[in-house]
Amino acid sequence: MNYAYDDQNIFAKILRGEIPNDTVFENEHALAFRDIRPQAPVHVLVIPKGPYVSLDHFARDASPDEQVGFFAAVSAVCEAEQMPQGFRSICNSRDHGHQEVPHFHMHILGGKPTGPMLSV
Ligand code: AMP
């Protein structure tokens, strides 16, 4: 698979500081911020700082340090947002996954029941 990264995507602009964001957590390798159109009381996006298009791209090509840093951010968000009854994490990839922003991100949704996994 050839993953072509578009550095004009909106999350790349957020990482460059060209667009503001509501940051929840940041470390060397990842940034977590609130989704601009929240679909649950907690709706945070965790993104790597590196140029990865999708989950499969990140899983294949990110360094161990980048992968550890990303999941450290996921852990920090889950701790900070206090979701004792659980949450949903979603990574949409490409067209069939209904991905809108072509920079890998994990949605973390909680604060209310999130329903069945897929509506068909
Ligand atoms: P996806 O369909 O998985 O690519 O989701 C992209 C998400 O990015 C959507 O939930 C949008 O609401 C969110 N989003 C788009 N632009 C921004 C922005 N500037 N700040 C925060 N979230 C955004």
Side-chain angles (χ1 to χ4, degrees), residues 10-11 14 19-21 33-39 43 45 91-92 98-102 105 107:
I10 200 145
F11 294 170
I14 285 175
I19 291 176
N21 74 93
F33 53 95
R34 298 199 188 282
D35 196 293
I36 204 165
R37 290 188 295 272
Q39 298 188 36
H43 189 169
L45 302 171
C91 301
N92 298 319
H98 222 283
Q99 181 177 14
E100 292 175 12
V101 179
H105 50 282
H107 298 254

Side-chain angles (χ1 to χ4, degrees), residues 5-120:
Y5 184 79
D6 170 14
D7 69 4
Q8 293 306 305
N9 78 76
I10 200 145
F11 294 170
K13 292 180 180 177
I14 285 175
L15 286 169
R16 290 194 296 267
E18 296 167 9
I19 291 176
N21 74 93
D22 186 358
T23 297
V24 174
F25 180 83
E26 182 170 12
N27 65 22
E28 182 184 355
H29 294 295
L31 177 69
F33 53 95
R34 298 199 188 282
D35 196 293
I36 204 165
R37 290 188 295 272
Q39 298 188 36
V42 175
H43 189 169
V44 175
L45 302 171
V46 185
I47 69 174
K49 292 186 174 177
Y52 302 103
V53 174
S54 55
L55 171 63
D56 49 338
H57 187 197
F58 183 76
R60 189 187 74 179
D61 290 351
S63 70
D65 282 353
E66 288 177 304
Q67 299 203 16
V68 167
F70 177 82
F71 281 103
V74 170
S75 172
V77 168
C78 292
E79 288 281 339
E81 296 300 315
Q82 298 184 351
M83 300 175 287
Q85 296 184 86
F87 59 92
R88 171 155 297 145
S89 48
I90 300 172
C91 301
N92 298 319
S93 296
R94 299 191 290 287
D95 290 350
H96 283 190
H98 222 283
Q99 181 177 14
E100 292 175 12
V101 179
H103 181 111
F104 169 49
H105 50 282
M106 178 181 288
H107 298 254
I108 296 177
L109 299 128
K112 71 170 189 180
T114 52
M117 189 166 70
L118 294 174
S119 55
V120 288

